[in-house]
Amino acid sequence: MNLDRARELIEVQLQFRSGYNRNSVRMILAEVQKIHGQEAVDRLIRELDLENRFDLKPGTDFSSLR
């Protein structure tokens, strides 16, 4: 998955803001981490304000979700 596609998928999840959508975002970030690394994940978290919206913090390891 490229970063633009990940961003698009996360933006769709942000429209709903439920716990299920938070889990979907976490799975997307796990895939991004696998392919692009932690730096790309942290950048998406900051760019899309996921810390405030879903309490997802930069530096979080999502690799256990794969």
Side-chain angles (χ1 to χ4, degrees), residues 4-53:
D4 288 332
R5 180 66 177 145
R7 190 177 292 108
E8 289 173 10
L9 292 172
I10 292 170
E11 286 173 349
V12 168
Q13 299 304 313
L14 289 173
Q15 295 174 10
F16 301 105
R17 298 183 70 141
S18 77
Y20 294 111
N21 301 100
R22 180 181 187 273
N23 288 335
S24 296
V25 170
R26 292 174 68 224
M27 295 299 291
I28 295 166
L29 293 174
E31 186 69 19
V32 169
Q33 183 175 353
K34 176 178 145 185
I35 297 169
H36 301 284
Q38 187 66 45
E39 186 177 318
V41 170
D42 292 347
R43 192 173 3 178
L44 286 172
I45 290 171
R46 288 184 187 102
E47 177 185 331
L48 299 172
D49 196 26
L50 299 179
E51 189 165 3
N52 287 325
R53 294 178 177 200

